[in-house]
Structures are given as C-alpha cells and as structure tokens.
C-alpha cells in the first residue's frame, strides 16, 4: 500500500525543480520559435520559488493540502506570466482534492493528479488540440486514472500518464496554435512542439520518478 506524506510531496517538488532547471535551455529554445523564448526561465523561477518556500515548512506539522497551497502561492508570486496562474490553479485544485488527509494512498495521488490537470484546463480554457500544455496534461491524467482503475500500481499508473503526456506533447507538432501568443503565428506554428506541453512532460516525469 502506497502512502505519500508531506515530506514525499516536498521531495516531489524538489525533483521537479531539478528537472526543469536541467531542461530550461531546451524549453526556451522551443519557446523561441513560437513565443518569447522565456518559458524555461519562467518555469525555472516558479519551481525554484516553490522549492525555497517548502524548505522552510515544518513538514511534520504540515498536511499535504497546506504544502500544496504554499506551492501555489509561491509559484504565482514568482511567475506572473501565463504559466503562473495555470500551475497555481493546478496546485490549489490538488490541495482541495486531498483536503483533510495527513497521508495519501495511491487513489489520492491519482485524484490529485487529475485535479491538477483539470485545474490547468479550467484556468486556461483550452481544449485538446489547441496546442497548449493541456494536450499533455489531460491525456496524462486520464491514462493514469484508467491504469489505476484497472489495478495497476501507483508507479505503473504514473508511468502510463507520462507516456500519454509524451504522446500528447509530440502531437502538438501537427497542431496550429489556438491560444496565447503563438496563436498569432497561425500555420507557422506547425511543426513545432508547444513549449508548455514540453514542460508538462518534464514536470510529470519528475512526479513519476519521485512518487513512483
């Protein structure tokens, strides 16, 4: 039986911060083609701020919901651009999904994952096929939930989610951007992976590595 506590979630955010930092240049290059070339920097700032904020928490006295709300606030304060409100909403929705729980079972982690994806979609008002991070997050959450419902372990379920996110991000190459700055490029956005979807894969990969 998997049991994830606040310390595990802090380690998850530490893992994400490391992964994003390592991927920062690639994300900026992707964003340079269809955006402002700063997506990697923004994501690095956001998750760096989350890591720093969580470092000062007394984990033994902090429930997962409080940690996730702290993550939301610190990410939003660090990143005013589009990804700031999206990830802040994701963490707040995740916090609400596990409210009152001191530790999380596998089903709780899957519910947290789904709530994050739904929060990103709701805040960004994007649908599958519009060349955004939703193209990675929604398939990932759905695949993880389906895998878990079929009896797979948390590790296997998150791995299924990661595979779906990778496929979703790759599929954005063949889409014309319908949201954000890149939508102004029209058909010139074809052939390029959406940077938000690419960073979503990095985030989900770090979550799988940490919690799996």
């Amino acid at each position: 039986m998997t049991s994830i506590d606040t310390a595990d979630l802090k380690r998850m955010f530490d893992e994400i911060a490391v992964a994003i930092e390592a991927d920062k240049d690639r994300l900026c290059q992707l964003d340079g083609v269809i955006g402002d070339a700063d997506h990697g920097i923004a994501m690095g700032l956001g998750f760096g701020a989350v890591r720093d904020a969580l470092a000062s928490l007394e984990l033994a006295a902090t429930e997962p919901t409080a940690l996730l709300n702290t993550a939301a606030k610190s990410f939003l304060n660090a990143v005013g651009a589009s990804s700031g409100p999206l990830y802040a909403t994701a963490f707040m929705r995740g916090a609400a999904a596990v409210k009152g729980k001191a530790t999380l079972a596998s089903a709780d982690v899957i519910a947290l994952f789904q709530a994050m994806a739904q929060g990103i979609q709701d805040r960004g008002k994007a649908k599958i096929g519009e060349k955004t991070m939703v193209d990675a997050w929604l398939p990932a959450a759905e695949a993880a939930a389906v895998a878990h419902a079929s009896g797979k372990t948390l590790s296997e379920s998150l791995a299924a989610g990661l595979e779906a996110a990778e496929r979703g991000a790759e599929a954005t190459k063949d889409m014309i951007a319908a949201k954000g700055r890149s939508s102004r490029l029209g058909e010139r956005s074809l052939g390029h992976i959406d940077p938000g979807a690419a960073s979503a894969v990095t985030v989900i990969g770090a979550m799988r590595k940490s919690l799996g």
Side-chain angles (χ1 to χ4, degrees):
M1 180 69 176
T2 303
S3 182
I4 305 292
D5 62 12
T6 307
D8 294 318
L9 290 177
K10 179 192 176 293
R11 277 192 291 274
M12 177 191 81
F13 279 110
D14 291 345
E15 191 81 50
I16 294 171
V18 169
I20 287 290
E21 190 61 34
D23 204 22
K24 190 164 71 175
D25 290 346
R26 181 183 75 99
L27 295 174
C28 284
Q29 285 169 354
L30 287 173
D31 196 31
V33 181
I34 59 174
D36 288 347
D38 63 352
H39 183 66
I41 294 166
M43 292 292 285
L45 283 171
F47 282 107
V50 170
R51 178 191 55 213
D52 294 346
L54 300 187
S56 63
L57 288 180
E58 189 182 337
L59 296 177
T62 306
E63 286 196 337
T65 289
L67 179 137
L68 289 159
N69 280 327
T70 299
K73 184 178 179 182
S74 52
F75 197 103
L76 188 59
N77 286 343
V79 185
S82 56
S83 55
L86 293 170
Y87 274 98
T89 302
F91 302 146
M92 285 190 286
R93 289 287 187 88
V98 299
K99 192 172 174 63
K101 295 177 184 288
T103 59
L104 311 181
S106 296
D108 298 319
V109 176
I110 297 298
L112 164 66
F113 194 42
Q114 288 180 286
M116 286 177 62
Q118 192 62 52
I120 287 170
Q121 183 182 32
D122 291 347
R123 189 71 174 80
K125 296 181 172 59
K127 301 191 292 285
I128 294 281
E130 292 187 328
K131 202 179 181 90
T132 72
M133 66 174 73
V134 165
D135 288 297
W137 270 105
L138 274 193
E142 185 176 337
V146 168
H148 182 259
S150 72
K152 295 283 197 285
T153 64
L154 179 60
S155 178
E156 291 167 335
S157 300
L158 292 175
L162 177 58
E163 287 174 15
E166 289 169 343
R167 287 194 300 272
E170 186 65 27
T172 64
K173 268 188 182 177
D174 301 320
M175 297 173 189
I176 295 173
K179 297 279 182 186
R181 286 193 179 92
S182 56
S183 63
R184 295 188 300 224
L185 293 174
E187 290 194 0
R188 281 182 294 154
S189 64
L190 271 173
H192 305 287
I193 290 177
D194 177 70
S199 63
V201 171
T202 305
V203 171
I204 293 165
M207 290 174 71
R208 185 207 63 77
K209 182 180 176 184
S210 174
L211 299 177

